Amino acid sequence: MDTSDQIGQLQAQIDDLEAEVARLRHQLADAELDQWLNQIDDLEVQVHLASLDAKDRLTPLLEDLRNAWLEARAGISSTTDTAADVVDKVRSGLEQAMREVRRAALDARSAING
C-alpha cells in the first residue's frame, strides 16, 4: 500500500467521522427540541388549570412559545449540518418565552391566592 492509498483511506475515515458527528448533532438537537416540547406541554396544562384572567394573559404567550418551537423544528428538519446552530439560535428565544409564561403563571397564581 502506497502513501496515496493511505491518504485515501484516512480521508474516507475522516469523511465517515464527519458524517457521524453531523448525525449525532442532529440527534442532540432533536432531543433538546423534544425536551422543550415537553416543557411547553406542561405549561399548557398549567394554563388550562389557571383562572380565566390568567388564561387570557398566558394563552398568547404560550402560542408564541409553541410557534418558536415549530420554527426550530422546521429549521432542524430542513438540514442536518446546521441542526445545532438552529437550536442555539432559538434557545434564547424559547428560554425568554418560557420565563414570560412562568412569570405570568406565578402572577396569576398570586392573584388567585390573594
Side-chain angles (χ1 to χ4, degrees), residues 29-40 69 73 98:
D30 279 342
E32 188 169 340
L33 284 174
D34 288 345
Q35 185 179 27
W36 277 108
L37 182 59
N38 289 335
Q39 291 179 12
I40 292 168
W69 182 86
R73 172 59 68 195
M98 291 287 278

Side-chain angles (χ1 to χ4, degrees), residues 15-89:
D15 292 344
D16 289 345
L17 290 172
E18 287 174 345
E20 180 67 10
V21 166
R23 187 185 67 75
L24 291 172
R25 283 185 178 154
H26 193 276
Q27 284 181 341
L28 180 62
D30 279 342
E32 188 169 340
L33 284 174
D34 288 345
Q35 185 179 27
W36 277 108
L37 182 59
N38 289 335
Q39 291 179 12
I40 292 168
D41 290 342
D42 183 52
L43 285 171
E44 283 181 329
V45 169
Q46 292 178 30
V47 167
H48 290 297
L49 296 175
S51 72
L52 291 177
D53 290 339
K55 282 184 183 180
D56 290 342
R57 182 174 173 198
L58 292 172
T59 299
L61 292 173
L62 201 49
E63 287 173 9
D64 291 344
L65 185 60
R66 184 164 293 278
N67 288 336
W69 182 86
L70 288 170
E71 288 175 19
R73 172 59 68 195
I76 283 182
S77 297
S78 66
T79 179
T80 58
D81 294 333
T82 60
D85 294 334
V86 171
V87 171
D88 288 341
K89 289 176 186 175

